[in-house]
PDB file of all heavy atoms in Angstrom:
ATOM      1  N   PRO A   1     -89.276 -66.771 197.218  1.00 98.00           N
ATOM      2  CA  PRO A   1     -89.219 -67.628 196.044  1.00 98.00           C
ATOM      3  C   PRO A   1     -89.011 -69.118 196.294  1.00 98.00           C
ATOM      4  O   PRO A   1     -89.610 -70.030 195.675  1.00 98.00           O
ATOM      5  CB  PRO A   1     -88.251 -67.070 195.171  1.00 98.00           C
ATOM      6  CG  PRO A   1     -88.002 -65.596 195.453  1.00 98.00           C
ATOM      7  CD  PRO A   1     -88.287 -65.698 197.045  1.00 98.00           C
ATOM      8  N   MET A   2     -88.120 -69.421 197.165  1.00 98.00           N
ATOM      9  CA  MET A   2     -87.726 -70.832 197.477  1.00 98.00           C
ATOM     10  C   MET A   2     -88.864 -71.632 198.200  1.00 98.00           C
ATOM     11  O   MET A   2     -88.999 -72.835 197.986  1.00 98.00           O
ATOM     12  CB  MET A   2     -86.498 -70.827 198.407  1.00 98.00           C
ATOM     13  CG  MET A   2     -85.215 -70.584 197.770  1.00 98.00           C
ATOM     14  SD  MET A   2     -84.823 -71.775 196.421  1.00 98.00           S
ATOM     15  CE  MET A   2     -84.759 -73.241 197.281  1.00 98.00           C
ATOM     16  N   ILE A   3     -89.907 -70.834 198.821  1.00 98.00           N
ATOM     17  CA  ILE A   3     -91.024 -71.623 199.356  1.00 98.00           C
ATOM     18  C   ILE A   3     -91.677 -72.226 198.231  1.00 98.00           C
ATOM     19  O   ILE A   3     -92.143 -73.349 198.222  1.00 98.00           O
ATOM     20  CB  ILE A   3     -91.945 -70.522 200.054  1.00 98.00           C
ATOM     21  CG1 ILE A   3     -91.163 -69.955 201.269  1.00 98.00           C
ATOM     22  CG2 ILE A   3     -93.201 -71.202 200.390  1.00 98.00           C
ATOM     23  CD1 ILE A   3     -92.116 -68.738 201.808  1.00 98.00           C
ATOM     24  N   TYR A   4     -91.966 -71.544 197.196  1.00 98.00           N
ATOM     25  CA  TYR A   4     -92.705 -72.016 195.988  1.00 98.00           C
ATOM     26  C   TYR A   4     -91.865 -73.122 195.176  1.00 98.00           C
ATOM     27  O   TYR A   4     -92.559 -74.083 194.590  1.00 98.00           O
ATOM     28  CB  TYR A   4     -93.197 -70.911 195.089  1.00 98.00           C
ATOM     29  CG  TYR A   4     -94.103 -70.072 195.788  1.00 98.00           C
ATOM     30  CD1 TYR A   4     -93.691 -68.837 196.468  1.00 98.00           C
ATOM     31  CD2 TYR A   4     -95.404 -70.217 196.009  1.00 98.00           C
ATOM     32  CE1 TYR A   4     -94.359 -68.019 197.312  1.00 98.00           C
ATOM     33  CE2 TYR A   4     -96.232 -69.373 196.745  1.00 98.00           C
ATOM     34  CZ  TYR A   4     -95.714 -68.369 197.268  1.00 98.00           C
ATOM     35  OH  TYR A   4     -96.600 -67.516 198.107  1.00 98.00           O
ATOM     36  N   ILE A   5     -90.607 -72.869 195.111  1.00 98.00           N
ATOM     37  CA  ILE A   5     -89.730 -73.852 194.365  1.00 98.00           C
ATOM     38  C   ILE A   5     -89.801 -75.212 195.042  1.00 98.00           C
ATOM     39  O   ILE A   5     -90.014 -76.203 194.403  1.00 98.00           O
ATOM     40  CB  ILE A   5     -88.318 -73.338 194.237  1.00 98.00           C
ATOM     41  CG1 ILE A   5     -88.313 -72.109 193.265  1.00 98.00           C
ATOM     42  CG2 ILE A   5     -87.453 -74.387 193.684  1.00 98.00           C
ATOM     43  CD1 ILE A   5     -87.043 -71.327 193.384  1.00 98.00           C
ATOM     44  N   LYS A   6     -89.598 -75.088 196.365  1.00 98.00           N
ATOM     45  CA  LYS A   6     -89.613 -76.330 197.167  1.00 98.00           C
ATOM     46  C   LYS A   6     -90.963 -77.083 197.185  1.00 98.00           C
ATOM     47  O   LYS A   6     -91.040 -78.350 197.138  1.00 98.00           O
ATOM     48  CB  LYS A   6     -89.201 -76.031 198.568  1.00 98.00           C
ATOM     49  CG  LYS A   6     -87.676 -75.777 198.703  1.00 98.00           C
ATOM     50  CD  LYS A   6     -87.332 -75.507 200.121  1.00 98.00           C
ATOM     51  CE  LYS A   6     -85.890 -75.445 200.402  1.00 98.00           C
ATOM     52  NZ  LYS A   6     -85.179 -76.767 200.283  1.00 98.00           N
ATOM     53  N   THR A   7     -92.049 -76.201 197.223  1.00 98.00           N
ATOM     54  CA  THR A   7     -93.478 -76.678 197.063  1.00 98.00           C
ATOM     55  C   THR A   7     -93.670 -77.578 195.740  1.00 98.00           C
ATOM     56  O   THR A   7     -94.158 -78.620 195.787  1.00 98.00           O
ATOM     57  CB  THR A   7     -94.456 -75.734 197.404  1.00 98.00           C
ATOM     58  OG1 THR A   7     -94.257 -75.130 198.616  1.00 98.00           O
ATOM     59  CG2 THR A   7     -95.825 -76.326 197.233  1.00 98.00           C
ATOM     60  N   ALA A   8     -93.333 -76.956 194.832  1.00 98.00           N
ATOM     61  CA  ALA A   8     -93.449 -77.368 193.294  1.00 98.00           C
ATOM     62  C   ALA A   8     -92.562 -78.671 193.227  1.00 98.00           C
ATOM     63  O   ALA A   8     -93.087 -79.755 192.718  1.00 98.00           O
ATOM     64  CB  ALA A   8     -93.148 -76.487 192.307  1.00 98.00           C
ATOM     65  N   PHE A   9     -91.382 -78.564 193.630  1.00 98.00           N
ATOM     66  CA  PHE A   9     -90.551 -79.832 193.585  1.00 98.00           C
ATOM     67  C   PHE A   9     -91.043 -81.039 194.298  1.00 98.00           C
ATOM     68  O   PHE A   9     -90.975 -82.115 193.754  1.00 98.00           O
ATOM     69  CB  PHE A   9     -89.107 -79.436 194.074  1.00 98.00           C
ATOM     70  CG  PHE A   9     -88.058 -80.483 194.029  1.00 98.00           C
ATOM     71  CD1 PHE A   9     -87.563 -81.022 192.904  1.00 98.00           C
ATOM     72  CD2 PHE A   9     -87.860 -81.230 195.184  1.00 98.00           C
ATOM     73  CE1 PHE A   9     -86.724 -82.113 192.938  1.00 98.00           C
ATOM     74  CE2 PHE A   9     -86.950 -82.359 195.157  1.00 98.00           C
ATOM     75  CZ  PHE A   9     -86.453 -82.779 193.959  1.00 98.00           C
ATOM     76  N   LYS A  10     -91.569 -80.867 195.513  1.00 98.00           N
ATOM     77  CA  LYS A  10     -92.109 -81.889 196.273  1.00 98.00           C
ATOM     78  C   LYS A  10     -93.177 -82.626 195.648  1.00 98.00           C
ATOM     79  O   LYS A  10     -93.286 -83.757 195.446  1.00 98.00           O
ATOM     80  CB  LYS A  10     -92.576 -81.340 197.587  1.00 98.00           C
ATOM     81  CG  LYS A  10     -93.208 -82.551 198.529  1.00 98.00           C
ATOM     82  CD  LYS A  10     -92.320 -83.548 198.882  1.00 98.00           C
ATOM     83  CE  LYS A  10     -91.137 -83.203 199.926  1.00 98.00           C
ATOM     84  NZ  LYS A  10     -91.660 -83.041 201.191  1.00 98.00           N
ATOM     85  N   PHE A  11     -94.123 -81.879 195.061  1.00 98.00           N
ATOM     86  CA  PHE A  11     -95.217 -82.436 194.284  1.00 98.00           C
ATOM     87  C   PHE A  11     -94.650 -83.247 193.048  1.00 98.00           C
ATOM     88  O   PHE A  11     -95.101 -84.333 192.804  1.00 98.00           O
ATOM     89  CB  PHE A  11     -96.276 -81.518 193.873  1.00 98.00           C
ATOM     90  CG  PHE A  11     -97.336 -82.042 193.080  1.00 98.00           C
ATOM     91  CD1 PHE A  11     -98.384 -82.773 193.747  1.00 98.00           C
ATOM     92  CD2 PHE A  11     -97.433 -81.974 191.687  1.00 98.00           C
ATOM     93  CE1 PHE A  11     -99.482 -83.329 192.968  1.00 98.00           C
ATOM     94  CE2 PHE A  11     -98.415 -82.620 190.970  1.00 98.00           C
ATOM     95  CZ  PHE A  11     -99.389 -83.288 191.639  1.00 98.00           C
ATOM     96  N   LEU A  12     -93.949 -82.521 192.185  1.00 98.00           N
ATOM     97  CA  LEU A  12     -93.509 -83.178 191.043  1.00 98.00           C
ATOM     98  C   LEU A  12     -92.588 -84.443 191.280  1.00 98.00           C
ATOM     99  O   LEU A  12     -92.633 -85.322 190.421  1.00 98.00           O
ATOM    100  CB  LEU A  12     -92.743 -82.068 190.217  1.00 98.00           C
ATOM    101  CG  LEU A  12     -93.616 -80.893 189.768  1.00 98.00           C
ATOM    102  CD1 LEU A  12     -92.623 -79.888 189.046  1.00 98.00           C
ATOM    103  CD2 LEU A  12     -94.470 -81.351 188.601  1.00 98.00           C
ATOM    104  N   ARG A  13     -91.783 -84.333 192.224  1.00 98.00           N
ATOM    105  CA  ARG A  13     -90.901 -85.516 192.483  1.00 98.00           C
ATOM    106  C   ARG A  13     -91.733 -86.733 192.937  1.00 98.00           C
ATOM    107  O   ARG A  13     -91.705 -87.826 192.387  1.00 98.00           O
ATOM    108  CB  ARG A  13     -89.992 -85.093 193.684  1.00 98.00           C
ATOM    109  CG  ARG A  13     -88.956 -86.203 193.987  1.00 98.00           C
ATOM    110  CD  ARG A  13     -88.277 -86.086 195.348  1.00 98.00           C
ATOM    111  NE  ARG A  13     -89.328 -86.317 196.444  1.00 98.00           N
ATOM    112  CZ  ARG A  13     -88.967 -86.180 197.696  1.00 98.00           C
ATOM    113  NH1 ARG A  13     -87.687 -85.797 198.037  1.00 98.00           N
ATOM    114  NH2 ARG A  13     -89.916 -86.188 198.566  1.00 98.00           N
ATOM    115  N   ASN A  14     -92.750 -86.392 193.811  1.00 98.00           N
ATOM    116  CA  ASN A  14     -93.456 -87.540 194.358  1.00 98.00           C
ATOM    117  C   ASN A  14     -94.528 -88.133 193.373  1.00 98.00           C
ATOM    118  O   ASN A  14     -94.695 -89.308 193.318  1.00 98.00           O
ATOM    119  CB  ASN A  14     -94.281 -87.189 195.747  1.00 98.00           C
ATOM    120  CG  ASN A  14     -93.335 -86.903 196.889  1.00 98.00           C
ATOM    121  OD1 ASN A  14     -92.161 -87.118 196.745  1.00 98.00           O
ATOM    122  ND2 ASN A  14     -93.793 -86.470 197.933  1.00 98.00           N
ATOM    123  N   TYR A  15     -95.042 -87.211 192.546  1.00 98.00           N
ATOM    124  CA  TYR A  15     -96.180 -87.632 191.714  1.00 98.00           C
ATOM    125  C   TYR A  15     -95.493 -88.319 190.393  1.00 98.00           C
ATOM    126  O   TYR A  15     -96.081 -89.250 189.892  1.00 98.00           O
ATOM    127  CB  TYR A  15     -97.069 -86.477 191.267  1.00 98.00           C
ATOM    128  CG  TYR A  15     -98.365 -86.834 190.580  1.00 98.00           C
ATOM    129  CD1 TYR A  15     -99.318 -87.744 191.326  1.00 98.00           C
ATOM    130  CD2 TYR A  15     -98.582 -86.592 189.358  1.00 98.00           C
ATOM    131  CE1 TYR A  15    -100.428 -88.030 190.723  1.00 98.00           C
ATOM    132  CE2 TYR A  15     -99.728 -87.047 188.670  1.00 98.00           C
ATOM    133  CZ  TYR A  15    -100.718 -87.742 189.361  1.00 98.00           C
ATOM    134  OH  TYR A  15    -101.911 -88.179 188.729  1.00 98.00           O
ATOM    135  N   PHE A  16     -94.431 -87.821 189.819  1.00 98.00           N
ATOM    136  CA  PHE A  16     -93.910 -88.244 188.708  1.00 98.00           C
ATOM    137  C   PHE A  16     -92.721 -89.142 188.893  1.00 98.00           C
ATOM    138  O   PHE A  16     -92.705 -90.370 188.390  1.00 98.00           O
ATOM    139  CB  PHE A  16     -93.603 -87.167 187.686  1.00 98.00           C
ATOM    140  CG  PHE A  16     -94.723 -86.380 187.185  1.00 98.00           C
ATOM    141  CD1 PHE A  16     -95.103 -85.136 187.685  1.00 98.00           C
ATOM    142  CD2 PHE A  16     -95.607 -87.008 186.222  1.00 98.00           C
ATOM    143  CE1 PHE A  16     -96.222 -84.404 187.293  1.00 98.00           C
ATOM    144  CE2 PHE A  16     -96.885 -86.273 185.773  1.00 98.00           C
ATOM    145  CZ  PHE A  16     -97.172 -85.063 186.395  1.00 98.00           C
ATOM    146  N   LEU A  17     -91.744 -88.717 189.557  1.00 98.00           N
ATOM    147  CA  LEU A  17     -90.348 -89.396 189.790  1.00 98.00           C
ATOM    148  C   LEU A  17     -90.672 -90.556 190.723  1.00 98.00           C
ATOM    149  O   LEU A  17     -90.183 -91.741 190.379  1.00 98.00           O
ATOM    150  CB  LEU A  17     -89.301 -88.573 190.365  1.00 98.00           C
ATOM    151  CG  LEU A  17     -88.037 -89.222 190.485  1.00 98.00           C
ATOM    152  CD1 LEU A  17     -87.437 -89.677 189.145  1.00 98.00           C
ATOM    153  CD2 LEU A  17     -86.941 -88.305 191.158  1.00 98.00           C
ATOM    154  N   TYR A  18     -91.514 -90.527 191.676  1.00 98.00           N
ATOM    155  CA  TYR A  18     -91.859 -91.518 192.600  1.00 98.00           C
ATOM    156  C   TYR A  18     -93.158 -92.205 192.300  1.00 98.00           C
ATOM    157  O   TYR A  18     -93.719 -93.044 193.009  1.00 98.00           O
ATOM    158  CB  TYR A  18     -91.971 -90.955 193.910  1.00 98.00           C
ATOM    159  CG  TYR A  18     -90.671 -90.693 194.562  1.00 98.00           C
ATOM    160  CD1 TYR A  18     -90.486 -89.847 195.823  1.00 98.00           C
ATOM    161  CD2 TYR A  18     -89.344 -90.970 194.000  1.00 98.00           C
ATOM    162  CE1 TYR A  18     -89.204 -89.547 196.377  1.00 98.00           C
ATOM    163  CE2 TYR A  18     -88.159 -90.609 194.514  1.00 98.00           C
ATOM    164  CZ  TYR A  18     -88.132 -89.794 195.661  1.00 98.00           C
ATOM    165  OH  TYR A  18     -86.837 -89.492 196.225  1.00 98.00           O
ATOM    166  N   LEU A  19     -93.649 -91.969 191.006  1.00 98.00           N
ATOM    167  CA  LEU A  19     -94.704 -92.688 190.407  1.00 98.00           C
ATOM    168  C   LEU A  19     -96.041 -92.559 191.205  1.00 98.00           C
ATOM    169  O   LEU A  19     -96.841 -93.500 191.185  1.00 98.00           O
ATOM    170  CB  LEU A  19     -94.373 -94.122 190.160  1.00 98.00           C
ATOM    171  CG  LEU A  19     -93.025 -94.392 189.390  1.00 98.00           C
ATOM    172  CD1 LEU A  19     -92.840 -95.951 189.262  1.00 98.00           C
ATOM    173  CD2 LEU A  19     -93.194 -93.763 187.993  1.00 98.00           C
ATOM    174  N   GLY A  20     -96.343 -91.467 191.813  1.00 98.00           N
ATOM    175  CA  GLY A  20     -97.503 -91.312 192.592  1.00 98.00           C
ATOM    176  C   GLY A  20     -98.694 -91.469 191.806  1.00 98.00           C
ATOM    177  O   GLY A  20     -99.776 -91.934 192.330  1.00 98.00           O
ATOM    178  N   PHE A  21     -98.734 -91.257 190.436  1.00 98.00           N
ATOM    179  CA  PHE A  21     -99.848 -91.405 189.694  1.00 98.00           C
ATOM    180  C   PHE A  21    -100.334 -92.809 189.668  1.00 98.00           C
ATOM    181  O   PHE A  21    -101.545 -93.026 189.242  1.00 98.00           O
ATOM    182  CB  PHE A  21     -99.563 -90.787 188.347  1.00 98.00           C
ATOM    183  CG  PHE A  21     -98.428 -91.511 187.491  1.00 98.00           C
ATOM    184  CD1 PHE A  21     -98.710 -92.584 186.767  1.00 98.00           C
ATOM    185  CD2 PHE A  21     -97.099 -91.049 187.576  1.00 98.00           C
ATOM    186  CE1 PHE A  21     -97.622 -93.198 186.028  1.00 98.00           C
ATOM    187  CE2 PHE A  21     -96.118 -91.681 187.001  1.00 98.00           C
ATOM    188  CZ  PHE A  21     -96.416 -92.739 186.179  1.00 98.00           C
ATOM    189  N   LEU A  22     -99.424 -93.689 189.818  1.00 98.00           N
ATOM    190  CA  LEU A  22     -99.917 -95.169 189.759  1.00 98.00           C
ATOM    191  C   LEU A  22    -100.769 -95.528 190.934  1.00 98.00           C
ATOM    192  O   LEU A  22    -101.322 -96.586 190.998  1.00 98.00           O
ATOM    193  CB  LEU A  22     -98.587 -96.009 189.767  1.00 98.00           C
ATOM    194  CG  LEU A  22     -97.853 -96.074 188.442  1.00 98.00           C
ATOM    195  CD1 LEU A  22     -96.506 -97.033 188.638  1.00 98.00           C
ATOM    196  CD2 LEU A  22     -98.550 -96.391 187.182  1.00 98.00           C
ATOM    197  N   ASP A  23    -100.733 -94.704 192.024  1.00 98.00           N
ATOM    198  CA  ASP A  23    -101.682 -94.946 193.190  1.00 98.00           C
ATOM    199  C   ASP A  23    -102.980 -94.378 192.950  1.00 98.00           C
ATOM    200  O   ASP A  23    -103.818 -94.318 193.842  1.00 98.00           O
ATOM    201  CB  ASP A  23    -101.015 -94.260 194.382  1.00 98.00           C
ATOM    202  CG  ASP A  23     -99.760 -95.245 195.004  1.00 98.00           C
ATOM    203  OD1 ASP A  23    -100.023 -96.418 195.000  1.00 98.00           O
ATOM    204  OD2 ASP A  23     -98.794 -94.589 195.440  1.00 98.00           O
ATOM    205  N   GLY A  24    -103.258 -93.821 191.741  1.00 98.00           N
ATOM    206  CA  GLY A  24    -104.605 -93.335 191.374  1.00 98.00           C
ATOM    207  C   GLY A  24    -104.856 -92.108 192.166  1.00 98.00           C
ATOM    208  O   GLY A  24    -104.038 -91.280 192.432  1.00 98.00           O
ATOM    209  N   LYS A  25    -106.276 -91.984 192.310  1.00 98.00           N
ATOM    210  CA  LYS A  25    -106.745 -90.682 193.005  1.00 98.00           C
ATOM    211  C   LYS A  25    -105.926 -90.398 194.289  1.00 98.00           C
ATOM    212  O   LYS A  25    -105.632 -89.176 194.753  1.00 98.00           O
ATOM    213  CB  LYS A  25    -108.242 -90.736 193.132  1.00 98.00           C
ATOM    214  CG  LYS A  25    -108.867 -89.560 193.890  1.00 98.00           C
ATOM    215  CD  LYS A  25    -110.345 -89.752 194.036  1.00 98.00           C
ATOM    216  CE  LYS A  25    -110.937 -88.479 194.844  1.00 98.00           C
ATOM    217  NZ  LYS A  25    -112.368 -88.779 194.975  1.00 98.00           N
ATOM    218  N   ASN A  26    -105.897 -91.533 195.075  1.00 98.00           N
ATOM    219  CA  ASN A  26    -105.356 -91.233 196.436  1.00 98.00           C
ATOM    220  C   ASN A  26    -103.773 -90.855 196.288  1.00 98.00           C
ATOM    221  O   ASN A  26    -103.278 -90.225 197.131  1.00 98.00           O
ATOM    222  CB  ASN A  26    -105.376 -92.578 197.293  1.00 98.00           C
ATOM    223  CG  ASN A  26    -106.839 -92.689 198.024  1.00 98.00           C
ATOM    224  OD1 ASN A  26    -107.455 -91.582 198.234  1.00 98.00           O
ATOM    225  ND2 ASN A  26    -107.255 -93.879 198.265  1.00 98.00           N
ATOM    226  N   GLY A  27    -103.180 -91.343 195.291  1.00 98.00           N
ATOM    227  CA  GLY A  27    -101.870 -90.934 195.003  1.00 98.00           C
ATOM    228  C   GLY A  27    -101.747 -89.487 194.808  1.00 98.00           C
ATOM    229  O   GLY A  27    -100.759 -88.794 195.273  1.00 98.00           O
ATOM    230  N   PHE A  28    -102.743 -88.905 193.977  1.00 98.00           N
ATOM    231  CA  PHE A  28    -102.684 -87.461 193.744  1.00 98.00           C
ATOM    232  C   PHE A  28    -102.901 -86.611 195.035  1.00 98.00           C
ATOM    233  O   PHE A  28    -102.224 -85.727 195.330  1.00 98.00           O
ATOM    234  CB  PHE A  28    -103.811 -87.180 192.720  1.00 98.00           C
ATOM    235  CG  PHE A  28    -103.992 -85.677 192.496  1.00 98.00           C
ATOM    236  CD1 PHE A  28    -103.164 -84.953 191.550  1.00 98.00           C
ATOM    237  CD2 PHE A  28    -104.918 -84.886 193.113  1.00 98.00           C
ATOM    238  CE1 PHE A  28    -103.111 -83.616 191.428  1.00 98.00           C
ATOM    239  CE2 PHE A  28    -105.028 -83.569 192.860  1.00 98.00           C
ATOM    240  CZ  PHE A  28    -104.245 -82.869 192.022  1.00 98.00           C
ATOM    241  N   VAL A  29    -103.875 -87.204 195.868  1.00 98.00           N
ATOM    242  CA  VAL A  29    -104.157 -86.529 197.059  1.00 98.00           C
ATOM    243  C   VAL A  29    -102.912 -86.492 198.005  1.00 98.00           C
ATOM    244  O   VAL A  29    -102.564 -85.576 198.794  1.00 98.00           O
ATOM    245  CB  VAL A  29    -105.352 -87.268 197.879  1.00 98.00           C
ATOM    246  CG1 VAL A  29    -105.478 -86.570 199.392  1.00 98.00           C
ATOM    247  CG2 VAL A  29    -106.660 -86.981 197.071  1.00 98.00           C
ATOM    248  N   ILE A  30    -102.231 -87.665 198.193  1.00 98.00           N
ATOM    249  CA  ILE A  30    -100.958 -87.820 198.916  1.00 98.00           C
ATOM    250  C   ILE A  30     -99.943 -86.823 198.417  1.00 98.00           C
ATOM    251  O   ILE A  30     -99.303 -86.162 199.301  1.00 98.00           O
ATOM    252  CB  ILE A  30    -100.569 -89.260 198.966  1.00 98.00           C
ATOM    253  CG1 ILE A  30    -101.433 -90.170 199.813  1.00 98.00           C
ATOM    254  CG2 ILE A  30     -99.095 -89.344 199.598  1.00 98.00           C
ATOM    255  CD1 ILE A  30    -101.237 -91.609 199.562  1.00 98.00           C
ATOM    256  N   CYS A  31     -99.716 -86.898 197.180  1.00 98.00           N
ATOM    257  CA  CYS A  31     -98.608 -85.958 196.656  1.00 98.00           C
ATOM    258  C   CYS A  31     -98.948 -84.457 196.931  1.00 98.00           C
ATOM    259  O   CYS A  31     -98.083 -83.664 197.288  1.00 98.00           O
ATOM    260  CB  CYS A  31     -98.294 -86.186 195.186  1.00 98.00           C
ATOM    261  SG  CYS A  31     -97.716 -87.909 194.858  1.00 98.00           S
ATOM    262  N   ARG A  32    -100.290 -84.211 196.731  1.00 98.00           N
ATOM    263  CA  ARG A  32    -100.615 -82.801 196.982  1.00 98.00           C
ATOM    264  C   ARG A  32    -100.537 -82.392 198.457  1.00 98.00           C
ATOM    265  O   ARG A  32    -100.061 -81.184 198.737  1.00 98.00           O
ATOM    266  CB  ARG A  32    -102.068 -82.558 196.536  1.00 98.00           C
ATOM    267  CG  ARG A  32    -102.649 -81.115 196.536  1.00 98.00           C
ATOM    268  CD  ARG A  32    -104.098 -81.181 196.259  1.00 98.00           C
ATOM    269  NE  ARG A  32    -104.986 -81.761 197.237  1.00 98.00           N
ATOM    270  CZ  ARG A  32    -106.221 -82.066 197.089  1.00 98.00           C
ATOM    271  NH1 ARG A  32    -106.887 -81.628 196.046  1.00 98.00           N
ATOM    272  NH2 ARG A  32    -106.913 -82.646 198.025  1.00 98.00           N
ATOM    273  N   MET A  33    -100.926 -83.250 199.326  1.00 98.00           N
ATOM    274  CA  MET A  33    -100.773 -83.003 200.801  1.00 98.00           C
ATOM    275  C   MET A  33     -99.229 -82.884 201.188  1.00 98.00           C
ATOM    276  O   MET A  33     -98.935 -81.989 202.045  1.00 98.00           O
ATOM    277  CB  MET A  33    -101.503 -84.176 201.490  1.00 98.00           C
ATOM    278  CG  MET A  33    -102.904 -84.144 201.638  1.00 98.00           C
ATOM    279  SD  MET A  33    -103.521 -82.650 202.523  1.00 98.00           S
ATOM    280  CE  MET A  33    -105.269 -83.142 202.479  1.00 98.00           C
ATOM    281  N   SER A  34     -98.511 -83.715 200.572  1.00 98.00           N
ATOM    282  CA  SER A  34     -97.036 -83.596 200.924  1.00 98.00           C
ATOM    283  C   SER A  34     -96.525 -82.126 200.485  1.00 98.00           C
ATOM    284  O   SER A  34     -95.667 -81.479 201.216  1.00 98.00           O
ATOM    285  CB  SER A  34     -96.169 -84.657 200.158  1.00 98.00           C
ATOM    286  OG  SER A  34     -96.650 -85.817 200.659  1.00 98.00           O
TER     287      SER A  34
END
């Protein structure tokens, strides 16, 4: 279960808390890859 928790946390943190959405399409790709 922790695999999926850590994976989801990484995306949500980078895309929302670290404002990845402000980098546009590439921001989404980067957060997804992380």
Side-chain angles (χ1 to χ4, degrees):
M2 282 303 299
I3 296 172
Y4 298 96
I5 292 170
K6 286 181 175 289
T7 299
F9 176 78
K10 177 61 72 72
F11 177 81
L12 294 172
R13 185 196 67 178
N14 290 359
Y15 194 66
F16 294 104
L17 185 61
Y18 291 166
L19 307 179
F21 60 89
L22 293 179
D23 287 317
K25 179 182 177 181
N26 280 333
F28 177 79
V29 172
I30 288 167
C31 295
R32 186 183 65 185
M33 285 290 189
S34 294

